[in-house]
Amino acid sequence: MHPDRKTPPQSVPVYPAAQLVATDGANMGDAISFASELLLDDVYELTYGSTQQRLSMLVSAQNAFEIAPDTEVGNAGARLHLDCALTFMSPDGQTTDAIVLVEVDENKNAAEIYVVPLSALSSRLEYRLVGIDTTTAHQKFAQVACVSFTRGTHITMASGEQRPIEDLKVGDRVLTRNDGIKAVRWISQTTVRAVGEFAPICISAGTLNNANDLIVSPDHRLFIYQREDHLGAGRSELLVKARHLVNGDTVRVQDGGFVDYFQLLFDGHQIIYAEGIAAESMLIDSRTKAVLPQELSDAMGDVIPGHSDRRHDGLDVSAPLLDRPDAAELLRKASMR
């Protein structure tokens, strides 16, 4: 892959800065801003009628972010600067993390500021700013983009054994769809609050011909081979994000409490089998690379063979095509023999 080649667009829900305003403190009356202008202990509230909008971005191999053409907010082609990570505390003592993105115009001036909440924000509720972090923003932003399985998920091994993901070790041999048997290169495990962008999606047993429930991160993509194109995608091989299948019944958001997330990394981006469903392994690109240990990141280099060649280009199904309550059922039928 050429170093300047961009990965497919990624979307995040954002609030424009004008919708999050200081109601108490040194910056009272001002909208949220970048780190150098913020002060701890200021109190912020969402303005009445605030709604999240979808910011679509492209990420280049040189760690550059820019706004994608299909965005709902912002100017397509404008650069985005990842400024900082913020931590707010509500009156009940709950903490909420957020990422600040700055849209930069052609003169390198700030054109707009966006807040990416990592858990839900409520209007008419005070949020006291208790943390401003300019050092780990990339890592926190990367965690949202990482595809993750949850504790208890059974992974199909080379022998056919169904092994819980928490029992896997580096070097274990896993069955992949395209490349046969491959060894696990790295395993990561994190525990986060199961809210907002970190609330997992549960695909109930039988929904996609799976024997057990499959619980994954919202943007985890599932591989579907259609024997008949019931969905109207125009091709047989599909990658579908779990969040786009949510119907409140057989596919639902598990919001609340905590969740243990596991990421599996191979030398290449793979399709593996989890609870019998073909699902992607961790994909390393300029956004997700920030979660790797420094020594592994350095060893993999800037352009990563097997990840950067984008072997699964063109398989993603757009959200509008899946915006129907029977999408999961259509995919189940389409994949049956």
Side-chain angles (χ1 to χ4, degrees):
M1 179 183 105
H2 190 277
D4 291 330
R5 182 177 173 185
K6 301 179 180 69
T7 60
Q10 301 173 354
S11 296
V12 290
V14 301
Y15 289 107
Q19 295 185 352
L20 191 60
V21 177
T23 56
D24 192 19
N27 287 318
M28 184 174 177
D30 293 340
I32 200 81
S33 188
F34 28 81
S36 61
E37 295 186 354
L38 297 176
L39 291 173
L40 292 176
D41 224 30
D42 280 0
V43 176
Y44 288 83
E45 290 186 33
L46 282 176
T47 58
Y48 179 75
S50 295
T51 57
Q52 289 183 335
Q53 300 178 64
R54 182 177 57 82
L55 177 66
S56 183
M57 66 180 67
L58 295 166
V59 189
S60 77
Q62 297 176 324
N63 290 320
F65 297 82
E66 69 178 55
I67 299 179
D70 65 337
T71 191
E72 289 181 351
V73 64
N75 297 298
R79 285 295 183 97
L80 284 168
H81 167 65
L82 203 166
D83 184 73
C84 62
L86 304 179
T87 301
F88 297 95
M89 181 176 289
S90 56
D92 62 0
Q94 294 289 328
T95 57
T96 298
D97 291 326
I99 302 293
V100 174
L101 294 173
V102 180
E103 180 181 338
V104 181
D105 65 21
E106 57 186 14
N107 296 317
K108 299 184 178 180
N109 296 317
E112 182 59 272
I113 297 173
Y114 306 101
V115 177
V116 184
L118 301 188
S119 56
L121 296 176
S122 300
S123 59
R124 299 180 182 177
L125 192 63
E126 294 182 339
Y127 293 95
R128 188 173 300 276
L129 183 59
V130 297
I132 305 170
D133 189 345
T134 58
T135 59
T136 64
H138 278 277
Q139 287 87 343
K140 288 186 177 181
F141 198 45
Q143 287 175 354
V144 179
C146 285
V147 297
S148 307
F149 299 98
T150 56
R151 180 177 295 275
T153 301
H154 291 88
I155 304 298
T156 302
M157 308 301 291
S159 63
E161 173 195 356
Q162 302 297 303
R163 186 179 301 176
I165 194 167
E166 62 269 23
D167 294 340
L168 264 63
K169 298 179 177 60
V170 172
D172 281 349
R173 292 157 59 82
V174 171
L175 178 65
T176 72
R177 182 181 187 275
N178 300 109
D179 294 327
I181 309 305
K182 289 295 177 181
V184 177
R185 178 160 184 174
W186 181 68
I187 303 172
S188 175
Q189 189 258 312
T190 56
T191 301
V192 297
R193 291 175 59 203
V195 294
E197 290 299 291
F198 289 109
I201 307 298
C202 177
I203 301 166
S204 300
T207 301
L208 292 175
N209 303 310
N210 45 312
N212 303 306
D213 291 355
L214 175 64
I215 307 173
V216 294
S217 55
D219 282 332
H220 207 133
R221 295 182 300 176
L222 311 175
F223 179 89
I224 306 292
Y225 182 84
Q226 294 192 114
R227 288 169 173 80
E228 295 184 43
D229 189 11
H230 293 311
L231 195 65
R235 57 186 183 279
S236 58
E237 295 187 341
L238 310 175
L239 280 174
V240 180
K241 287 184 178 181
R243 71 162 76 235
H244 293 159
L245 295 178
V246 171
N247 55 25
D249 182 19
T250 59
V251 185
R252 61 192 184 277
V253 179
Q254 288 193 341
D255 197 348
F258 290 83
V259 60
D260 292 333
Y261 275 137
F262 292 80
Q263 293 93 36
L264 294 183
L265 178 68
F266 297 85
D267 283 335
H269 183 230
Q270 298 290 349
I271 301 298
I272 62 176
Y273 297 92
E275 302 297 358
I277 296 179
E280 68 175 329
S281 67
M282 186 176 181
L283 172 64
I284 298 299
D285 59 23
S286 298
R287 180 175 169 188
T288 58
K289 196 166 182 275
V291 304
L292 297 179
Q294 191 60 51
E295 61 274 16
L296 180 57
S297 179
D298 292 342
M300 297 188 87
D302 292 329
V303 178
I304 308 164
H307 289 265
S308 56
D309 64 7
R310 305 296 304 162
R311 71 164 74 184
H312 302 116
D313 264 351
L315 300 186
D316 290 274
V317 179
S318 63
L321 198 59
L322 296 163
D323 188 17
R324 48 188 300 169
D326 62 343
E329 176 61 13
L330 288 178
L331 290 172
R332 186 189 70 82
K333 292 179 178 178
S335 64
M336 294 177 66
R337 294 184 181 279

